[in-house]
Amino acid sequence: MTHATNQPSTMLKMGEFYELSPGSDLEQSQHYNADIAPTRVQERNWNLWNVAALWVGMAICVPTYTLGGVLTAYFGLSVMEALMAILIANIIVLIPLTLNAFPGTKFGVPFPVVLRSSFGVLGSNIPCLIRALVACGWFGIQTLFGGLAIHILLSNILPGWESLGGTGEVIGFFLFLALNLYIVIRGAESIKLMETLAAPLLLGVGIGLMLWASPKISYEALLAIPANRPEEASFWGYFFAGVTAMVGFWATLSLNIPDFSRYVRSQKDQIIGQTIGLPLTMFFFAALGVVMTAASPALVGETISDPVTLIGKIDSPVWVVIAMLIIIVATLSTNTAANIVSPTNDFQNIAPRKINQTRGVLLTGLIGILLMGWELLKKLGMIESDVSVEAMYSGWLLGYSSLLGPIAGIMITDYFVVRRQQFELVELYSTHGAYSGFNRHGLTAFFVPVTLTLFALLTGELNWFYQYGWFTGSLLGGLIYWLSTRTVPYSVERSQLVAENP
């Protein structure tokens, strides 16, 4: 991506954008490598449809399909209330998504490097590793779904494969994992191509499934199903808890969106592309999950909330094979973009001289395997466990959003309020630059909300702070960061800036 010279590193201004011309000083830096270096302006070529396709590809996945069921079963909402919570939450999450995408598009830097401004070059590893661990967990969950789809596909193609049972699912897991890692190792253009090709296919299939299931159910009866909560309970408490959980669904991407916006050609493209691609896709596919689950008794004789298992029971090998191929594409498009790119960059941030993109991808895969090890061993019949994958990720939604909310608030406050949309690119990668070490402003603003969240969990006091964790955490984190920097201000020395290029 970049080539060092014997000249000092400089920051180039090209129109409204900036890029880095690396020199020998950064070549020696322990915090720089070519994979997390800023993209060149000519490499920022994604248009709004590429961004929209990215979100369609990420939003259409098995966990999105089950969200309606999660909200009705775990959060006490009716079907219509659940769908409205999903739509409102994804409109809300557009705010941090578009704001945190700004520095990526303007300066071409990935998420970990953006964090260096507010947490320090070394301090950025703390929020990075928290984000990376969550992504690795989701990577493992999505790979389980993809592996199951491969197992069902091979069961309908290869005689005798179905008899492998759980062993076949484990083999499918590792085949799907290898496919994911290969795509990301090939780079951003490979991800862009896959998402652009997958998006219209996935939307078409979703519409087809909706039309196929609709005659089998009564929409009036579906919407008339009462909410699963005490009659005297307040609607708003349950509703806002559901909204918070749904915001938590994309709380991860609202942080590391610079990993993708660094390839977008303008701020307008990233804003419009995300607005087109995210809210309606999430609403539509969650609604599809509700409809298909309601229709499943008429389709296969039992209620099934997992689309892979549901389609696998259809008595038509040809349609099962086609459907499994599509589910594999859908899960692949989500997993590569949402769950591998971020931890790959996050792990590189720890030691850029030792961990490049390929090693970061392989490390992500290894941790994903370890986190899902209990489920793989259960499928092989080596252990017994009552913990379900669905219950695990529904529990995560609220919990991890409480940890990630403060990071979002700090990032937005730092870039727009404290830095006033200005970074010094050379300093962001320097061993002894203005951003080096730990930024106590960012760390304080992060740990105060996290401490309050842990206090609420352990004592039962301040339960509202945890229940609305993403909102309370992001607002408090941003406020503390702003107050801290005003009380003890700090500045960044101006690095060498060459003449503007039109």
Side-chain angles (χ1 to χ4, degrees), residues 59 64-69 82-83 86 210 280-291:
T64 302
Y65 180 101
T66 62
L67 283 182
L83 293 178
I86 292 168
M210 186 72 84
L280 292 180
T281 305
M282 286 290 294
F283 179 83
F284 166 69
F285 206 64
L288 174 66
V290 171
V291 170

Side-chain angles (χ1 to χ4, degrees), residues 154-483:
L154 295 178
S155 296
N156 283 272
I157 296 177
L158 302 178
W161 186 275
E162 187 176 4
S163 63
L164 291 175
T167 302
E169 292 182 33
V170 173
I171 294 172
F173 174 92
F174 284 99
L175 289 174
F176 189 76
L177 180 140
L179 191 57
N180 278 268
L181 301 186
Y182 172 75
I183 290 174
V184 179
I185 287 173
R186 285 182 60 88
E189 282 300 309
S190 178
I191 296 173
K192 172 186 170 184
L193 177 62
M194 187 190 69
E195 300 291 347
T196 302
L197 293 176
L201 172 67
L202 299 179
L203 283 175
V205 169
I207 293 171
L209 286 173
M210 186 72 84
L211 294 174
W212 175 56
S214 290
K216 307 291 194 301
I217 66 167
S218 166
Y219 282 100
E220 290 184 3
L222 180 62
L223 296 177
I225 298 175
N228 180 29
R229 61 175 180 266
E231 290 185 9
E232 69 279 3
S234 168
F235 158 74
W236 293 109
Y238 282 82
F239 184 75
F240 283 127
V243 169
T244 302
M246 292 304 98
V247 169
F249 192 83
W250 288 122
T252 50
L253 264 293
S254 71
L255 301 183
N256 76 285
I257 190 64
D259 290 335
F260 300 101
S261 66
R262 64 196 292 231
Y263 298 101
V264 181
R265 66 184 185 182
S266 73
Q267 301 292 3
K268 181 179 178 181
D269 282 293
Q270 67 92 354
I271 294 171
I272 297 176
Q274 294 197 84
T275 303
I276 292 173
L278 176 61
L280 292 180
T281 305
M282 286 290 294
F283 179 83
F284 166 69
F285 206 64
L288 174 66
V290 171
V291 170
M292 292 295 291
T293 301
S296 59
L299 296 172
V300 298
E302 60 181 305
T303 300
I304 299 175
S305 60
D306 169 14
V308 182
T309 303
L310 173 63
I311 295 172
K313 289 183 175 293
I314 296 174
D315 189 21
S316 172
V318 174
W319 284 111
V320 170
V321 168
I322 293 172
M324 287 304 112
L325 286 172
I326 293 167
I327 286 178
I328 289 169
V329 171
T331 310
L332 192 62
S333 64
T334 300
N335 222 16
T336 51
N339 302 322
I340 305 181
V341 172
S342 178
T344 295
N345 289 336
D346 295 338
F347 292 138
Q348 288 187 79
N349 191 63
I350 299 172
R353 310 302 295 182
K354 297 180 180 179
I355 305 176
N356 59 14
Q357 178 171 304
T358 300
R359 290 176 179 175
V361 170
L362 296 176
L363 185 57
T364 299
L366 176 61
I367 296 175
I369 293 170
L370 294 176
L371 290 176
M372 288 297 107
W374 59 276
E375 182 69 15
L376 297 175
L377 292 174
K378 188 167 72 172
K379 289 181 182 297
L380 292 172
M382 299 176 70
I383 63 170
E384 293 185 5
S385 172
D386 295 329
V387 179
S388 70
V389 174
E390 290 83 357
M392 186 174 70
Y393 77 67
S394 66
W396 273 13
L397 292 177
L398 201 59
Y400 76 62
S401 69
S402 299
L403 295 177
L404 301 183
I407 303 173
I410 292 167
M411 288 176 66
I412 293 170
T413 303
D414 176 73
Y415 184 70
F416 287 97
V417 180
V418 177
R419 305 292 184 188
R420 298 184 181 180
Q421 303 186 57
Q422 287 299 320
F423 285 156
E424 297 303 322
L425 287 179
V426 178
E427 302 291 327
L428 285 171
Y429 294 91
S430 299
T431 303
H432 303 293
Y435 303 100
S436 63
F438 296 85
N439 184 334
R440 59 190 176 86
H441 302 289
L443 293 172
T444 301
F446 173 69
F447 281 113
V448 169
V450 168
T451 301
L452 288 174
T453 297
L454 294 176
F455 173 80
L457 279 172
L458 295 174
T459 67
E461 302 292 332
L462 295 176
N463 188 56
W464 59 270
F465 192 89
Y466 168 73
Q467 189 174 17
Y468 308 118
W470 188 88
F471 295 99
T472 53
S474 59
L475 291 173
L476 183 59
L479 178 62
I480 292 175
Y481 186 79
W482 177 69
L483 290 174

